């Protein structure tokens, strides 16, 4: 303990090291506060939309139910669905930056409604958000490099290395202890604001523990790499240059190249293409014989095939039948689209095995429930609600029932999934093993200092 206290006093005398730690603490705190504010903004948006929804439905009910026509209600009544941010969403915004978290749907064809929100300004999404994940993945390694790159070279350049080597107990444990103190303080500067944000948001303890383990594993990776470079006997400038090059390659170049390779080898059609294909089928339904459309609809919905035949002229049940057929026509493309997304997600997880930054990002996004899996779960929830909505209208449409004000009040209401904590065990274990392996190599390199001059 006395040796560690001495190292702390020595570190405290270095103004640039103290300033670096304070700056890292400030950046992490700003990122957490920014994330909490964004989460609150999303909650406020959802609450405002819910209130406006109630006002709109209350105003529509007398007008839409005046004639008792369910088709009119189904066409004009939009119902809100929403994906509330999790209590850990302040850590990483993930896909919530570019994917809608509020969707208003009606009983028409679903795919066009699901993917209308995909149109956004790519220039606004390019920079991303300054969140905790950005600080942990990109900035934390830079501070570790600044604190560890001259661990030995600074002592050599000042002429103290020989004296340090002559002191009792100044073997490999000296450099390990010094590196552990600096890496530990950097970890605290990042994790303390995250822990405060977790308390403020009500984040489950298990999710917070997963974040702590992931960040510590990432710190172990970069600390081990910094030790491997700093203890090899190079100058401070050479060490810093080497580590900065490693940072650029591991956090910028290789992830970009990997993403480009995934985009080429695992192509994914855009959701907008599904929307256009589904709309093409729906619009073509106006030109097909009505009896043919209903016959195709009854193949998948035989419970309505014994209802009254179509009268002359327009009828809502024919209209909603070809809306349903529009969704069914693109069902194979939807399945292929989702499978392509999942294949790319699996490839990204595999990339995280070799690139610790990708692995940490995957863990943080999974814990925050802002990754692709969370987006697909929300789409599944919207799809299930849309099915309930259609099934609610069909008896009125096919059995010619009157749709009154009481029926309007009984329209299905969307219920979002519970905010259950999710700990990605496999990616977390892989990142922890990688961190332990690299750190072990770095600690082992401390024995080489004895041979340096």
């Amino acid at each position: 303990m006395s040796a560690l206290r001495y190292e702390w006093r020595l570190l405290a005398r270095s103004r640039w090291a103290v300033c670096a730690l304070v700056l890292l603490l400030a950046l992490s705190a700003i990122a957490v506060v920014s994330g909490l504010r964004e989460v609150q903004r999303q909650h406020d948006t959802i609450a405002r939309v819910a209130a406006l929804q109630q006002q709109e439905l209350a105003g529509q009910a007398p007008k839409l139910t005046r004639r008792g026509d369910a088709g009119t209600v189904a066409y004009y009544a939009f119902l809100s669905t929403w994906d509330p941010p999790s209590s850990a969403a302040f850590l990483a915004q993930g896909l919530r930056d570019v994917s809608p978290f509020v969707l208003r749907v009606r009983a028409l064809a679903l795919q066009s409604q699901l993917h209308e929100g995909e149109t956004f300004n790519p220039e606004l999404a390019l920079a991303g958000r300054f969140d905790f994940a950005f600080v942990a993945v990109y900035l934390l390694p830079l501070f570790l490099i600044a604190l560890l790159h001259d661990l030995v070279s600074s002592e050599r350049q000042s002429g103290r290395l020989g004296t340090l080597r002559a002191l009792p107990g100044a073997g490999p444990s000296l450099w390990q202890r010094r590196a552990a103190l600096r890496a530990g303080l950097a970890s605290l500067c990042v994790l303390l604001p995250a822990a405060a944000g977790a308390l403020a948001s009500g984040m489950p303890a298990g999710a917070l523990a997963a974040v702590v383990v992931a960040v510590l594993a990432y710190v172990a990776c970069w600390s081990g790499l910094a030790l491997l470079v700093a203890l090899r006997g190079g100058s401070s400038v050479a060490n810093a240059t080497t580590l900065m090059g490693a940072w650029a390659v591991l956090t910028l170049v290789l992830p970009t190249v990997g993403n480009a390779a995934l985009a080429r080898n695992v192509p994914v059609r855009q959701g907008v293409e599904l929307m256009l294909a589904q709309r093409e089928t729906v619009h073509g339904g106006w030109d097909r014989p009505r009896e043919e459309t209903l016959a195709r609809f009854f193949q998948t919905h035989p419970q309505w095939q014994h209802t009254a035949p179509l009268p002359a002229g327009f009828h809502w049940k024919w209209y909603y039948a070809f809306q349903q057929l529009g969704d069914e026509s693109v069902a194979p493309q939807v399945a292929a689209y989702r499978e392509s997304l999942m294949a790319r997600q699996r490839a990204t997880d595999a990339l995280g095995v070799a690139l610790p930054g990708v692995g940490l990002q995957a863990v943080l996004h999974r814990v925050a429930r802002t990754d692709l899996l969370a987006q697909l779960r929300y789409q599944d929830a919207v799809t299930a609600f849309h099915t309930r909505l259609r099934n609610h209208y069909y008896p009125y449409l096919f059995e010619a029932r009157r749709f009154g004000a009481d029926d309007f009040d009984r329209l299905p209401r969307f219920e979002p999934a519970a905010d259950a904590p999710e700990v990605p065990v496999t990616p977390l274990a892989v990142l922890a093993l990688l961190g332990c392996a690299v750190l072990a190599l770095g600690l082992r390199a401390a024995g080489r200092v004895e041979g340096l001059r």
Side-chain angles (χ1 to χ4, degrees):
M1 185 61 68
S2 59
L4 195 60
R5 188 182 303 114
Y6 170 78
E7 293 297 339
W8 162 248
R9 292 175 58 187
L10 185 65
L11 180 64
R13 292 174 58 184
S14 175
R15 292 184 179 179
W16 72 265
V18 173
C19 290
L21 292 171
V22 171
L23 178 59
L24 179 59
L25 178 65
L27 289 173
S28 181
I30 292 171
V32 168
V33 171
S34 175
L36 290 172
R37 292 182 62 182
E38 173 61 22
V39 168
Q40 186 59 49
R41 184 192 70 82
Q42 293 180 12
H43 279 298
D44 293 342
T45 299
I46 291 172
R48 185 170 64 253
V49 168
L52 292 174
Q53 170 78 48
Q54 293 302 320
Q55 295 177 12
E56 181 180 14
L57 291 178
Q60 284 182 325
K63 302 175 184 177
L64 297 182
T65 59
R66 185 177 303 157
R67 296 193 304 170
D69 189 353
T72 302
V73 176
Y75 187 86
Y76 288 103
F78 285 86
L79 298 177
S80 296
T81 70
W82 59 93
D83 182 24
S86 71
S87 55
F90 71 92
L91 295 171
Q93 287 301 309
L95 291 179
R96 294 182 72 89
D97 249 4
V98 295
S99 300
F101 56 88
V102 175
L103 278 175
R104 299 173 73 230
V105 298
R106 48 183 174 163
L108 274 63
L110 177 63
Q111 291 304 317
S112 60
Q113 302 179 72
L114 272 182
H115 299 289
E116 279 176 340
E118 285 195 359
T119 55
F120 58 92
N121 187 341
E123 291 185 359
L124 297 179
L126 182 62
R129 285 192 178 272
F130 181 76
D131 53 15
F132 177 82
F134 178 84
V135 173
V137 173
Y138 295 102
L139 300 187
L140 177 56
L142 294 177
F143 284 90
L144 289 171
I145 291 172
L147 292 170
L148 298 174
H149 78 282
D150 60 349
L151 204 61
V152 177
S153 57
S154 62
E155 302 293 350
R156 183 192 304 108
Q157 292 168 8
S158 63
R160 294 191 299 264
L161 182 59
T163 304
L164 283 175
R165 291 173 56 191
L167 293 175
S173 61
L174 170 64
W175 312 109
Q176 294 170 0
R177 184 171 59 247
R178 187 167 292 184
L181 176 63
R182 298 185 180 204
L185 289 174
S187 301
L188 283 177
C189 290
V190 171
L191 290 174
L192 284 178
L199 290 175
S201 66
M203 181 176 165
L208 177 59
V211 172
V212 171
V213 172
V215 171
L216 291 180
Y218 191 62
V219 169
C221 285
W222 279 101
S223 298
L225 181 60
L227 286 175
L228 285 172
V229 174
L231 302 180
R232 67 177 182 172
S235 66
S236 298
V237 174
N239 293 343
T241 303
T242 301
L243 288 171
M244 285 299 298
W247 174 85
V249 170
L250 291 176
T251 62
L252 300 177
V253 177
L254 289 182
T256 302
V257 172
N259 186 59
L262 289 180
R264 181 172 182 176
N265 296 325
V266 189
V268 176
R269 298 178 61 185
Q270 296 296 319
V272 175
E273 296 180 27
L274 294 175
M275 177 184 72
L276 294 176
Q278 178 264 316
R279 282 186 173 175
E280 207 174 298
T281 302
V282 169
H283 293 328
W286 291 98
D287 302 324
R288 297 188 185 91
R290 298 189 306 163
E291 290 74 14
E292 176 187 331
T293 298
L294 280 181
R296 291 176 55 202
F297 176 80
F298 292 149
Q299 291 177 3
T300 53
H301 298 78
Q303 64 271 34
W304 308 115
Q305 63 184 348
H306 299 299
T307 55
L310 283 173
F314 176 82
H315 197 279
W316 282 115
K317 67 180 181 181
W318 163 69
Y319 177 79
Y320 287 103
F322 73 69
Q323 292 286 330
Q324 173 86 52
L325 292 176
D327 278 337
E328 294 177 1
S329 68
V330 296
Q333 293 96 310
V334 171
Y337 168 70
R338 290 173 66 95
E339 178 54 35
S340 299
L341 290 176
M342 292 305 300
R344 184 172 290 185
Q345 180 65 43
R346 289 190 294 270
T348 302
D349 292 340
L351 193 62
V353 175
L355 300 177
V358 177
L360 177 61
Q361 224 167 13
V363 170
L364 292 178
H365 287 170
R366 189 73 53 82
V367 171
R369 290 176 54 196
T370 57
D371 61 350
L372 174 65
L373 298 181
Q375 181 189 8
L376 293 179
R377 278 197 294 265
Y378 175 50
Q379 291 187 4
D380 290 340
V382 175
T383 301
F385 173 71
H386 188 263
T387 300
R388 287 174 52 209
L389 192 61
R390 275 175 166 166
N391 291 335
H392 181 81
Y393 286 123
Y394 282 166
Y396 298 93
L397 295 172
F398 287 92
E399 297 176 357
R401 296 186 194 175
R402 178 177 177 78
F403 196 96
D406 293 339
D407 302 302
F408 193 92
D409 294 335
R410 288 195 295 269
L411 282 174
R413 295 294 189 267
F414 179 79
E415 293 294 335
D419 181 13
E422 183 174 355
V423 177
V425 178
T426 301
L428 188 60
V430 169
L431 183 61
L433 288 175
L434 181 61
C436 291
V438 178
L439 182 60
L441 293 175
L443 295 177
R444 186 178 178 183
R448 298 203 308 259
V449 179
E450 299 305 309
L452 297 179
R453 299 296 178 184

